[in-house]
Amino acid sequence: MKDKILVIGSSGQIGTELVETLRSQYGVSNVVASDLKAPETPGDGPFEALDVTDNQRLLAVVKKHGVTQVYLLAALLSATAEKNPLFAWNLNMAGLLNVLELGREKLISRIYWPSSIAVFGPNTPSDLTPQFTIMEPSTVYGISKQAGERWCEYYFQKYGVDVRSLRYPGLVGWKSAPGGGTTDYAVHIFHEALKSKTYECFLSADTALPMMYMPDALRATLELMQADPAKVKIRSSYNLAGISFSPKEIAAEIKKHIPDFMMTYKPDYRQQIADTWPHSIDDSHSRQDWGWNPAYSLDKMTREMLTNLDKVMKNSCNL
Ligand code: NAD
Ligand code: AKB
């Protein structure tokens, strides 16, 4: 049977790029985008307005398109979730359970759901954080991701649901805007460096966090989803690593290309969140089980971000 894919939360930072990548591999009409809000640039493929917490509407969309796989991206991220904890908990949990139920009822055959480095907390070893370790997240976002991981493993073990997951680090890309996370500074910094050559960072200079360039994250997602089921040994969520850097280090990298770039620091409530997260991640299980290998260094990502964003900004000025 041909795969028919539903991406939920398709208008967000990851969804915008994931839909494009999936459509290039599976065909435009085989990838249904869905979100509360329509995409900023409507593509050619199908789009459904969908609230993932509405299980009847979700079921109707799945049946209408004969969906076989779901990528569930709809969630509230760390910084936004702290402002409305109960709303975040409800969205992050109800959305996942609605999709896992579709798997249990054998209406779909494979699910992708991202977890995050936010599952770790202040008592976790912060350098090269192992796959299996103390977690104890202290944000509502992290608590929802840890509970989500437990639910994924439970549905796999109890009902045989083929659910796969990655603990993404902070993602950096130039095609779409980030949606309310603690790592968002690492995207904003590029826009401001090109626009005004200055950036006021909401994290302190030495706050090192695990990060990843979007093309690596998309490739990891598809490689995990396309892996032989026998190779996917972890059904909670896999540690995934790309690069780790602090605001000071990324600013220094940008300065190599824009020598008069100036960074200032004004840490806010997001500093407290970042302080509980790891500095770097040990992803050896991903490497061993399904062959993960990142391609982007800080240097390579910085060059690509500046080149591509510069083109986008010049094009929008010429319109
Ligand atoms: P985002 O905030 O940019 O996008 C989320 C999308 O979900 C938005 O377009 C929003 O409109 C949509 N949405 C919200 N509520 C919805 C609902 N009830 N029904 C349907 N759609 C709804 O988030 P993102 O950065 O693209 O993240 C996607 C997933 O990846 C999330 O689970 C997030 O926790 C995870 N993740 C992201 C990062 C990152 O750095 N971007 C890192 C780790 C994990
Ligand atoms: C956030 O900062 O909330 C996300 C994440 C690491 O989960 N980017």
Side-chain angles (χ1 to χ4, degrees), residues 23 95 136 146 229 264 282-283 313 317:
R23 283 185 175 154
E136 300 179 2
Q146 192 188 22
T264 55
D282 172 1
D283 64 357
M313 286 179 183
C317 285

Side-chain angles (χ1 to χ4, degrees), residues 131-146:
Q131 174 72 40
F132 302 107
T133 185
I134 300 166
M135 296 172 99
E136 300 179 2
S138 56
T139 61
V140 66
Y141 175 66
I143 296 169
S144 74
K145 289 298 185 190
Q146 192 188 22

